[in-house]
Amino acid sequence: QVQLVESGGGLVQAGGSLRLSCAASGRPFRTYAMGWFRQAPGKEREAVAAISSSRDSTYYADSVKGRFTISRDNAKNTVYLQMNSLKPEDTAVYYCARQDGSLGGSTWYRPSVYDYWGQGTQVTVSS
């Protein structure tokens, strides 16, 4: 049974930073690509970032490039999202997700290619 548990969300002022973590259980973590998505009230879920199983490829939404960094520690079965220079528009519930296969530039942002999801962690950025 695969479980993904996010943590690290909270309330922060604009310009501040947060580091989200997603701890995974189940089959060898290192064989899966991982992604972060977010969903704001009244909006569709959108892709934020993703990282390949081998860490040699990362992908970012244009809205977070240069501010967010995705990383993973396969020894700890954990993927991270470092979020800097946060803006009020970054306010959302953030979800991590697992992808069993190969991520590419044309697939990483599609929720349908991910097979397991965490329960989400709230990030609120005040102005």
Side-chain angles (χ1 to χ4, degrees), residues 6-14 16-21 36-41 48 67-68 81-95 119-126:
E6 302 96 335
S7 62
L11 174 64
V12 64
Q13 288 188 331
S17 298
L18 282 174
R19 188 195 197 200
L20 304 184
S21 300
W36 284 98
F37 287 73
R38 66 186 181 187
Q39 188 166 19
V48 175
R67 300 188 298 122
F68 290 11
L81 185 68
Q82 178 67 44
M83 306 186 295
N84 299 329
S85 302
L86 282 162
K87 305 174 181 180
E89 51 263 44
D90 294 318
T91 295
V93 177
Y94 283 71
Y95 301 88
Q119 82 291 345
T121 186
Q122 176 70 47
V123 172
T124 303
V125 184
S126 63

Side-chain angles (χ1 to χ4, degrees), residues 56-78:
D56 59 354
S57 296
T58 55
Y59 306 90
Y60 295 94
D62 288 343
S63 59
V64 306
K65 280 181 181 176
R67 300 188 298 122
F68 290 11
T69 302
I70 189 170
S71 62
R72 64 191 295 162
D73 185 336
N74 288 342
K76 295 182 178 180
N77 285 9
T78 302

Side-chain angles (χ1 to χ4, degrees), residues 106-122:
S106 61
T107 60
W108 76 271
Y109 52 86
R110 298 178 182 175
S112 60
V113 306
Y114 296 83
D115 54 359
Y116 285 94
W117 294 78
Q119 82 291 345
T121 186
Q122 176 70 47

Side-chain angles (χ1 to χ4, degrees), residues 8-9 16 18 24 31 34 41 43 54 62 94 101:
L18 282 174
T31 64
M34 298 294 295
K43 295 187 177 181
S54 60
D62 288 343
Y94 283 71

